[in-house]
Amino acid sequence: MRDVIALEAVAQGVPEVLVGDDALDARVRWLHVSDSAGVARLLNGGEMLLSTGSSWPAEPGDLRRFIDELADAGLSGLVLELGTHYRYVPAVVVEAAHARGLALVVLHRELKFVTVTEAVHSRIITGQTDALRARDEVRERFTALVLRGSPADFIVHQLAQTLGAPIVLENLGYEVVAAEVPLAMEEELFTEWELRSRSAHRRSEQRRERAIPAGADDWLIVPVEARGIRWGNLIALPGPEHPAGRAAVLEQGAIALAVGRLADGDADEWARIGRRRLVDGLLAGRFAGVGGAAARLEAAGLPLRGGARLYGLVVSGAPVAVERADVAARALRGRALAGSAPAGVVAPAATMLVSLPPDAVFDDAAVVAFVRALVDPADVERVTVSVGRGAEGIDAALASVHEAVDLAGGRRRRAGRGPHLRRAENRPLVQLVTALRDDHRVLEHGERMLAPLISYDLSRSGDLLDVLEAMLAHPGNRTAAAGASHLSRSVFYQRIALIEELLGSDLDDGETQTALHLALLVRRSAGR
């Protein structure tokens, strides 16, 4: 209605809005010209009525019923020309229109109704043509994504860009698979996500049953389904209008996601991609606050409250079936999210965050059983599992993940009976480095201490840092250290002598060994 009033053909009639505000947001599907008192039965809804009122009822009660009938028929707005029949608008008409939220506009100057009709219909047809063109563009864009095999998280990202609004993809269990949401609103949106989503679904179902269009503040929900199989829902939060229609754009995204699920077959790529992106983002610090991070994790199905015990894990040395991580955790009565290989850890590797009930046991046997479900039996001998300390709450959980990453960055052992376990609770230096990882002074001290070796290795493509790490991994047993460095004993001892000369230190001194070990751990923790 606002657009109609702004048209030049209407402006010439000197329009005055008597009932407006939200009522002017009503969509105009067509314009109807009639003075008949029975015009309501001729309407299909969405029309704007242009009238002189010459045949309207005369009695106030009948006029009120007439306005109610128009509103019940779904009229978008009423435009009444003054002068031909009415010199002013009856108060009962204004009161009834206001009570029913029906836009009411009067024209103070006579107009050719045919001119107004042509202008309004031209505007409507132009809008419909623009919408069709926009829908074609959207369809082509998302068809191209399907043909390229774009993953679910990228399709969600493209939807958010297209609609200019937050987008959430959830599975049938109301767990968030992928989301494009501003970091600042994550905590508010994802806290108690399941309850919020269930409530939004009920409201959406009620609107469909009553044929009521979604309002500006409503969540728009479209199912992702194909061939009778439903996998989840796409949710668009409130945002600006789109020329193609917000629902039409969201439906194209749902089609692209459904085709992708059909192409994946039995593989649950949704869980793998969405959770990997979430874990990688947490490890990289891509979250606005711990509250938002915690809400996002719980919305993805990882329990954090109720005394849940959280463990960071890094599995390295062999290909890891990360899509089986959650199934393996469920066998322990828990849940798990899996991410990519962390910085500083040679692939193949995967980072994980495991949540277990307070009474669950996650001892070495449980860890081994968990990992055996993720790797090929032929690769078990080559696997190293680094486990952070058990934690409660998001802050401690992130520290546990970083402990696991720091442990995993150490020198690989030779193949043997596996998997090989490293636990942060048995490595006090790793715990210290993780606790101080954000203190730049610790990093600067370590870099200064190792500077002569770093300069030597960079200038000569040397291996002194590797030799030092092998020696510190086997204190008191230089034969084993030489084997770990893959050097002959004579060459290894020459390297040790050179390190002592460059550092001006005795590597047999316990305090020196501890300081160097700490410096190496700090450097590795920083991804250098």
Side-chain angles (χ1 to χ4, degrees):
M1 283 295 295
R2 295 183 191 277
D3 294 339
V4 169
I5 297 171
L7 292 174
E8 178 63 25
V10 178
Q12 291 177 5
V14 190
E16 178 186 359
V17 177
L18 299 185
V19 179
D21 297 328
D22 293 341
L24 293 178
D25 294 328
R27 289 183 175 277
V28 177
R29 183 180 60 82
W30 207 243
L31 184 145
H32 193 76
V33 178
S34 175
D35 289 331
S36 171
V39 68
R41 68 176 182 272
L42 303 177
L43 302 177
N44 291 325
E47 297 94 345
M48 183 186 84
L49 179 63
L50 182 59
S51 177
T52 65
S54 59
S55 298
W56 286 9
E59 295 298 322
D62 294 336
L63 267 178
R64 182 180 296 276
R65 281 191 294 274
F66 173 67
I67 298 300
D68 286 339
E69 290 172 356
L70 293 178
D72 290 340
L75 191 73
S76 295
L78 175 60
V79 179
L80 176 63
E81 183 185 80
L82 300 179
T84 301
H85 182 71
Y86 287 110
R87 296 186 62 183
Y88 59 89
V89 181
V92 67
V93 172
V94 178
E95 292 171 0
H98 188 273
R100 297 300 302 270
L102 178 66
L104 175 60
V105 180
V106 295
L107 301 176
H108 292 279
R109 183 179 297 168
E110 186 180 44
L111 288 177
K112 290 183 178 179
F113 280 10
V114 66
T115 302
V116 176
T117 301
E118 289 176 347
V120 173
H121 287 176
S122 176
R123 175 69 180 83
I124 292 172
I125 293 171
T126 299
Q128 292 173 341
T129 302
D130 292 342
L132 289 173
R133 186 179 298 110
R135 288 175 187 174
D136 286 340
E137 292 174 353
V138 169
R139 184 166 50 250
E140 291 175 2
R141 181 183 312 168
F142 284 95
T143 299
L145 294 179
V146 172
L147 295 176
R148 290 199 297 266
S150 299
D153 57 338
F154 186 71
I155 292 175
V156 170
H157 172 75
Q158 289 298 306
L159 276 171
Q161 294 291 313
T162 303
L163 288 176
I167 301 293
V168 178
L169 171 63
E170 65 176 13
N171 60 24
L172 294 180
Y174 302 100
E175 294 177 354
V176 175
V177 176
E180 281 292 328
V181 175
L183 293 178
M185 68 179 296
E186 281 194 339
E187 182 173 3
E188 178 184 358
L189 176 64
F190 291 123
T191 298
E192 303 293 347
W193 168 261
E194 182 177 348
L195 294 177
R196 292 168 60 87
S197 181
R198 285 181 182 273
S199 177
H201 277 272
R202 284 194 296 269
R203 292 194 300 270
S204 178
E205 186 63 31
Q206 291 169 356
R207 289 196 303 271
R208 282 196 296 269
E209 290 175 354
R210 301 172 185 175
I212 300 174
D217 296 328
D218 291 321
W219 289 9
L220 189 61
I221 303 175
V222 172
V224 180
E225 57 187 356
R227 297 180 182 175
I229 303 174
R230 185 169 179 171
W231 295 284
N233 303 286
L234 263 177
I235 301 174
L237 273 64
E241 288 297 326
H242 190 277
R246 299 181 78 237
V249 175
L250 204 61
E251 287 167 1
Q252 287 299 315
I255 292 171
L257 288 167
V259 173
R261 280 304 301 247
L262 289 174
D264 293 338
D266 295 332
D268 190 0
E269 188 195 16
W270 280 16
R272 181 176 62 84
I273 290 178
R275 291 169 177 167
R276 181 188 65 197
R277 187 179 180 190
L278 177 57
V279 173
D280 293 351
L282 288 171
L283 193 58
R286 292 195 295 270
F287 54 91
V290 292
R296 182 70 176 85
L297 285 170
E298 290 205 314
L302 190 79
L304 295 181
R305 291 174 290 183
R309 295 290 291 173
L310 304 162
Y311 297 87
L313 271 79
V314 175
V315 182
S316 57
V320 182
V322 294
E323 68 276 6
R324 298 205 295 261
D326 195 44
V327 175
R330 288 177 187 268
L332 301 173
R333 298 185 293 122
R335 300 293 302 273
L337 301 179
S340 308
V345 178
V346 179
T351 310
M352 300 178 194
L353 184 56
V354 178
S355 174
L356 298 175
D359 60 339
V361 176
F362 203 50
D363 55 12
D364 290 356
V367 173
V368 170
F370 175 79
V371 173
R372 284 183 180 275
L374 308 181
V375 299
D376 189 280
D379 293 329
V380 170
E381 300 295 328
R382 299 189 289 120
V383 169
T384 296
V385 188
S386 303
V387 186
R389 287 176 294 172
E392 291 186 18
I394 183 63
D395 284 320
L398 290 174
S400 180
V401 173
H402 283 296
E403 286 177 351
V405 172
D406 291 341
L407 280 173
R411 175 174 292 276
R412 288 188 180 182
R413 67 184 185 95
R414 290 182 174 178
R417 295 187 63 184
H420 175 61
L421 266 63
R422 298 170 175 170
R423 304 196 76 127
E425 58 200 45
N426 302 324
R427 301 289 295 276
L429 273 183
V430 169
Q431 297 175 31
L432 177 62
V433 168
T434 302
L436 299 177
R437 64 183 303 113
D438 295 326
D439 192 328
H440 67 91
R441 294 171 298 179
V442 176
L443 178 60
E444 291 171 356
H445 174 74
E447 291 295 294
R448 284 197 303 270
M449 191 169 191
L450 298 174
L453 306 187
I454 296 171
S455 297
Y456 183 92
D457 283 351
L458 289 175
S459 62
R460 295 172 175 80
S461 298
D463 57 358
L464 296 186
L465 286 178
D466 291 337
V467 171
L468 178 61
E469 184 176 358
M471 192 213 78
L472 294 173
H474 300 275
N477 189 345
R478 293 197 175 180
T479 299
S485 67
H486 306 293
L487 298 174
S488 66
R489 290 187 62 186
S490 60
V491 173
F492 179 77
Y493 277 96
Q494 290 174 12
R495 297 283 202 281
I496 292 297
L498 178 57
I499 291 173
E500 290 180 327
E501 179 183 344
L502 290 172
L503 295 179
S505 302
D506 179 7
L507 295 187
D508 288 324
D509 179 69
E511 184 174 343
T512 299
Q513 288 184 6
T514 302
L516 288 171
H517 197 173
L518 181 62
L520 282 173
L521 286 174
V522 170
R523 178 178 175 80
R524 193 166 62 228
S525 177
R528 300 192 177 190

